[in-house]
Amino acid sequence: MSGSPHHLEADLSIVAGQFVAVVGPSRSGKSLIIELAAGLVRPEAGRVMLLGQDWSHAAEREESPLRIRVGTVLQQPGLLSNMTVFNNVLLPLRYHRGAMPDRDRAQVVMAELERLGLGALRDRFPAELNHGEVRRAAIARALILDPEVLLLDDPVAGLDAELVVVLKRYLEARRARHALTIVAALRASSPFMEDVDRLLVLRDGRVVADGTREAVLGAVSDTLRMYVA
Amino acid sequence: MIEWVGRKTIAGYAYLASLATLFTQAVLDLVLPTQQGRRDTLWVIVRQVLFTGVDALPVTTVIALLLGIIIVTQAGTQLPRLGAGGLVGGIIVVTVVRELGPLITAFIVVGRSGTAIAAELGNMSVTREVVALRLMGISISRFVIMPRMVGMVLSMLCLTLYFDVVAVLGGYLVADAQLTIPFYAFVESITKALSTTDVVMTAIKALSFGSAVAAVCCYHGLAVRSSFTEVPQQTTRAVINSFVLCLLIDVAVTVPLYV
């Protein structure tokens, strides 16, 4: 499979409920895996199947029902700049769950923001937030519809060590409540590695190691071990 | 040379086809029943009407009044020399109601709101807000394009009719103050010259211009890809293409009807 701006050749299948981390150097194809899985990039050859549906040939109208089941946070999270944090997180609920009472929706959003330590920032606009706060708000927005799959591109960028742990616990709690498949592209080793069921190591658009953290640690070169250890 | 002309012609048709697709999709989103995002969409329409219509009233009033004054001053001083002083009302109808009202209103809307839409959507594209909406399963056509189009079309229609009334009023101010044409005579000359066709055609032009401007500006805003420097470039293209398209539509509507 290839897509702009990188090239990727991979044959992967991910079991529902797994937490899969994709690691490797810059431009190794980590973000491309996320973009392919999110249906933002179409493969030149091959297929991308997600939740039993073929992303590769889905028309835009067919995308919407599938997208509700998939939460995605890209490197640039794209919070809507003219909406507060609260309204950003509320938007998918308002759009897709129009029948839900306003009060219930507000409660769900506030609970999500509190869990991510964003309760006090509910009325701030994205321009008033730091990088880590924007990222956490985007994760809250991606998870507000209780998707079955969560795709994260560099989820810990801009987060300090404490907040990485907050996010880690938050995702652990989400996974404990109901099955959530997570695919996360990570640029460096982080506490997330402790929770990972499977690790994919990429280099130059190819998978060079695939397995549990322990198995991968023994299978990769010293250079790539830095991303895993 | 021939190759260049051929390439430009194909590009022109492709551009018009893209605009037609965008417009058709927005119309489908408007008429097809769905519960998804109805309240949000309505809210965007209301904001668009407030910005494009209500906020444009002061500038529209000033321009319409001045235009009415200029036209009636010229007509009122030149026509009597030709023994056609009674045609002042007719001149107002022909120039303002039929042609300049819809066109100048369109130009005002392009300058104020068309540029704003193109720049807003361009910035949204660069900051990946458009992609984020798509990732949330929110239709760009339903949530972004259609409400702006509906808001702009409604605003354009109301502003055009308002422009015509204010321009006629401006004309009357001159007629009354400088040309000493009595109110009754002024109104009579206008009502004689004004036909239902004129009003209907003005409304049709306003609706067409509104649709065209909204489609062009949304298209160019969403055409921005990865750099903020593209935003002013696409905004400029949106303005120029909106002007050209409005004039083309004007010719297409006017020539068959009045020639």
Side-chain angles (χ1 to χ4, degrees):
Chain A
M1 293 179 284
S2 87
S4 67
H6 316 304
H7 182 80
L8 176 70
E9 285 181 27
D11 184 4
L12 300 167
S13 59
I14 292 169
V15 177
Q18 275 193 333
F19 186 165
V20 179
V22 185
V23 298
S26 292
R27 302 197 169 271
S28 57
K30 301 185 296 295
S31 295
L32 186 54
I33 281 196
I34 300 296
E35 288 179 356
L36 280 163
L40 290 177
V41 176
R42 300 279 158 117
E44 282 177 10
R47 287 190 309 168
V48 178
M49 298 289 290
L50 190 72
L51 296 167
Q53 291 187 50
D54 190 354
W55 251 154
S56 329
H57 303 101
E60 203 173 324
R61 280 199 170 273
E62 297 162 10
E63 285 181 7
S64 185
L66 192 52
R67 293 209 178 280
I68 297 168
R69 300 167 65 193
V70 182
T72 308
V73 181
L74 300 176
Q75 277 186 55
Q76 259 188 296
L79 287 187
L80 298 183
S81 54
N82 61 348
M83 287 187 188
T84 61
V85 169
F86 179 84
N87 283 327
N88 260 287
V89 180
L90 181 69
L91 179 62
L93 271 181
R94 261 200 334 229
Y95 192 85
H96 294 294
R97 308 246 167 98
M100 193 174 174
D102 286 350
R103 208 166 143 187
D104 293 355
R105 278 195 295 231
Q107 277 176 354
V108 171
V109 171
M110 276 317 293
E112 212 65 31
L113 291 178
E114 294 292 353
R115 282 190 202 110
L116 280 163
L118 293 169
L121 304 175
R122 56 163 285 167
D123 294 325
R124 299 268 182 97
F125 285 89
E128 300 170 313
L129 304 177
N130 66 34
H131 199 61
E133 289 161 350
V134 167
R135 193 153 292 276
R136 280 182 286 151
I139 290 172
R141 186 176 68 178
L143 285 169
I144 200 71
L145 292 174
D146 287 328
E148 294 159 58
V149 178
L150 178 63
L151 304 170
L152 299 169
D153 194 354
D154 205 5
V156 293
L159 298 184
D160 57 43
E162 256 177 78
L163 288 174
V164 171
V165 174
V166 168
L167 184 58
K168 179 177 174 291
R169 287 188 185 144
Y170 170 78
L171 291 178
E172 281 169 0
R174 291 289 302 218
R175 292 183 74 207
R177 280 213 303 274
H178 54 81
L180 176 66
T181 308
I182 302 178
V183 182
L186 298 171
R187 260 128 206 90
S189 182
S190 79
F192 276 100
M193 295 292 184
E194 295 163 14
D195 294 340
V196 161
D197 300 309
R198 182 180 169 194
L199 209 53
L200 289 171
V201 184
L202 297 187
R203 169 150 249 171
D204 299 327
R206 287 171 193 276
V207 179
V208 293
D210 181 357
T212 60
R213 191 182 181 198
E214 292 71 30
V216 166
L217 269 169
V220 293
S221 64
D222 289 345
T223 320
L224 289 176
R225 201 167 293 138
M226 290 188 296
Y227 296 96
V228 184
Chain B
M1 179 68 182
I2 293 170
E3 189 189 330
W4 181 84
V5 171
R7 240 192 349 254
K8 287 288 174 192
T9 307
I10 291 169
Y13 277 118
Y15 176 69
L16 289 176
S18 303
L19 292 182
T21 307
L22 187 139
F23 175 75
T24 310
Q25 186 57 55
V27 172
L28 286 175
D29 282 324
L30 178 67
V31 297
L32 292 179
T34 178
Q35 292 299 316
Q36 275 191 330
R38 281 178 73 172
R39 222 166 73 178
D40 287 295
T41 306
L42 190 64
W43 179 232
V44 180
I45 291 174
V46 170
R47 278 193 310 184
Q48 193 63 51
V49 168
L50 284 175
F51 175 64
T52 304
V54 179
D55 289 356
L57 284 176
V59 69
T60 307
T61 307
V62 172
I63 292 174
L65 264 178
L66 294 176
L67 189 81
I69 289 170
I70 290 165
I71 289 172
V72 172
T73 302
Q74 290 290 354
T77 52
Q78 298 301 315
L79 290 178
R81 290 183 196 171
L82 305 167
L87 290 177
V88 171
I91 290 290
I92 276 270
V93 169
V94 169
T95 53
V96 174
V97 178
R98 283 187 191 173
E99 294 302 331
L100 293 180
L103 263 181
I104 291 183
T105 308
F107 290 174
I108 293 170
V109 169
V110 170
R112 280 191 79 257
S113 310
T115 49
I117 287 176
E120 183 193 11
L121 298 191
N123 286 327
M124 283 176 71
S125 297
V126 178
T127 55
R128 307 276 274 175
E129 290 174 41
V130 174
V131 172
L133 286 172
R134 198 179 146 203
L135 287 172
M136 286 186 267
I138 293 175
S139 161
I140 304 302
S141 176
R142 179 182 299 283
F143 186 72
V144 175
I145 299 171
M146 182 270 281
R148 281 167 177 77
M149 197 171 277
V150 171
M152 188 169 267
V153 168
L154 288 176
S155 302
M156 187 83 87
L157 179 64
C158 297
L159 276 181
T160 301
L161 297 175
Y162 175 77
F163 186 101
D164 290 349
V165 171
V166 174
V168 169
L169 189 69
Y172 168 70
L173 291 177
V174 175
D176 184 49
Q178 287 190 342
L179 310 174
T180 60
I181 301 173
F183 177 73
Y184 175 75
F186 184 77
V187 170
E188 192 186 22
S189 68
I190 284 177
T191 47
K192 262 187 190 170
L194 190 68
S195 67
T196 312
T197 312
D198 290 324
V199 179
V200 171
M201 289 319 288
T202 296
I204 288 174
K205 281 183 184 179
L207 295 173
S208 310
F209 293 168
S211 308
V213 171
V216 168
C217 294
C218 287
Y219 174 85
H220 283 282
L222 294 171
V224 172
R225 287 285 161 255
S226 50
S227 162
F228 284 112
T229 54
E230 290 175 54
V231 176
Q233 291 167 355
Q234 289 294 346
T235 304
T236 307
R237 274 181 213 153
V239 171
I240 301 297
N241 291 354
S242 295
F243 285 170
V244 172
L245 202 55
C246 285
L247 287 167
L248 284 173
I249 292 170
D250 197 31
V251 170
V253 172
T254 303
V255 171
L257 193 75
Y258 294 111
V259 173

